[in-house]
Amino acid sequence: MTSWQPEFHYPALLCRYSEIGIKGENRMFFEERLLASLQRQLASLGPLRFTHDRGRIFVFPETKDSFTPADLHTLRREIPRIAGVASLSPGFALPPALPEIEKCLQKIFPHIVQAGRDKFPGRPLTYALQARRSDKSFPLHCVDIERYFAELLLPGYPDLTLDLRHAEIVIEVEVRKDIAFVSCERINGPGGLPCGSSGRVLALLSGGFDSPVACFQMMRRGCLVDFLTFHSAPFTPPATITKVCRLVRRLNEFQPRGRLVSINLLPLQLAIRDACQSRYRTVLYRRSMLRLGAVLAEYFQDQAIVTGDNLGQVASQTLANLSVIAQASNILVLRPLLAYDKINIMNMAQDIGTYDISRENVPDSCTVFATNNPATRAKLDNIKREEQKIPMRELLLKCLDSANLINAKNCQEYPFPELKNYGQNMQNLLMCEIW
Ligand code: ATP
Ligand code: MG
């Protein structure tokens, strides 16, 4: 939306959400999650009071009369990050009566037009007033409200012309049973479902472009995301971890703090390098990652693993290889980016602010001992035969031994021995019956 709006001291906010509205009996649950997100992400606006009315949440400041211009900047930054919000408008909450709406419009309209003139000097401006009426007892229909105000306002402004589709000045009037709301700015949210309303997942997070975007996609659909990253110290530098910490910090701006765990994959990678056919390396690495991920997911009670896999992007991401990789574990694996083009993923990375972190050139665990002749159509039988050449269970436990819980804020690492103990007892995941 336009950023040239006059910065009124708005007494209220109107938050629109779309999908939650169709959740029937779960509505309350979704609305509560959304309120919790709004409260958390907008904490810097001071204490807030919320009221809701089908499909809308109204927000009022509790300890001041109106939101300040600084609050508006915060809203423009935060609203695109709050999953479940379709859009939000700062505006004026009024009693639902025509004279009240008229009084408000008479007051604000000259300022809005002036701001438009300042922005586009010396040329006519286009205008639209869009009315919505959920209270059918209100005496005027939407089109009548629109016509009424066009006739009232436009004669005083010969440089304004009506353009219902692409207007530069858009005023919205929403009339509900107990409230009328007048606004001239819409800040778009990301849509989707409120944070935490879909459950918890564990993301395999590398320093690349894809996996952070995959995390955001899951958050947008209401998941809380924990993070697992693999490194290969000393073949990868400490910078590999600090880069992931920065990605996690950015991603945690969209949710209450997701946990980050690192595991050193090197023991497995060395064994695979020394004993297995080189063309299967990446598939074998990925199957190992998935098994280790499944242990952590069960420990954290995350219901699925998320990856940034993208069909055909690299050799490990053919349908044949993805299938062989998925069969390393019985956990649900979600790949939200599977069908996107790289350019779209890059654009999303820009939007969520992970692009500049991901583009830094830091070695990744996956490229350690990478070959230039990777198999693109691995067969499960062949892969199982390769895995029998190495002591898989011991190696997985050795990797679990290296697990660290990381505080992403300061990159401080804490040993995590519970994970190995837990993995040791996960009969069906760490016994060889699956592979
Ligand atoms: P890129 O943008 O370079 O493709 P990527 O992270 O997607 O980066 P891929 O080699 O395509 O790298 O890996 C596919 C997926 O496997 C990743 O999206 C991620 O989910 C997982 N993965 C790869 N390397 C790691 C790692 N070091 N730690 C955790 N997960 C990893
Ligand atoms: Mg990738």
Side-chain angles (χ1 to χ4, degrees), residues 204-211 228-231 286 289 306-309 313-314 316-317 342 364-366:
L204 302 189
L205 182 66
S206 69
F209 287 101
D210 300 324
S211 42
L228 171 59
T229 193
F230 295 97
H231 63 93
R286 286 277 195 280
M289 288 181 178
V306 176
T307 76
D309 285 320
Q313 188 187 81
V314 291
S316 60
Q317 294 169 1
K342 191 78 184 179
D364 185 84
S365 171
C366 256

Side-chain angles (χ1 to χ4, degrees), residues 140-156:
L140 297 183
H141 287 266
C142 293
V143 276
D144 300 328
I145 299 173
E146 290 168 3
R147 191 172 308 134
Y148 179 84
F149 285 112
E151 284 169 6
L152 183 82
L153 298 169
L154 290 184

Side-chain angles (χ1 to χ4, degrees), residues 298-425:
E298 195 176 305
Y299 183 86
F300 276 167
Q301 299 189 324
D302 293 326
Q303 290 166 283
I305 284 192
V306 176
T307 76
D309 285 320
N310 179 244
L311 192 59
Q313 188 187 81
V314 291
S316 60
Q317 294 169 1
T318 61
L319 278 184
N321 285 354
L322 287 173
S323 162
V324 167
I325 292 164
Q327 290 177 73
S329 164
N330 50 13
I331 194 165
L332 173 64
V333 181
L334 303 173
R335 302 179 176 86
L337 304 187
L338 198 74
Y340 284 94
D341 289 346
K342 191 78 184 179
I343 179 82
N344 300 124
I345 297 171
M346 298 299 220
N347 288 340
M348 285 189 270
Q350 293 267 21
D351 290 345
I352 62 172
T354 54
Y355 182 92
D356 285 331
I357 308 171
S358 293
R359 72 201 288 257
E360 284 170 24
N361 196 3
V362 174
D364 185 84
S365 171
C366 256
T367 51
V368 170
F369 317 132
T371 56
N372 50 15
N373 65 332
T376 52
R377 256 174 277 168
K379 293 210 168 56
L380 189 58
D381 284 348
N382 295 339
I383 291 295
K384 283 182 173 170
R385 206 169 306 128
E386 293 301 312
E387 286 181 349
Q388 275 153 17
K389 296 178 183 171
I390 58 173
M392 181 58 87
R393 182 184 156 83
E394 283 81 71
L395 288 165
L396 288 170
L397 289 173
K398 198 164 172 195
C399 290
L400 287 180
D401 228 359
S402 72
N404 280 329
L405 259 172
I406 304 184
N407 178 348
K409 281 194 171 155
N410 54 14
C411 301
Q412 193 80 39
E413 304 189 19
Y414 303 90
F416 191 17
E418 300 88 334
L419 192 59
K420 182 177 177 189
N421 297 338
Y422 191 79
Q424 216 148 16
N425 296 321

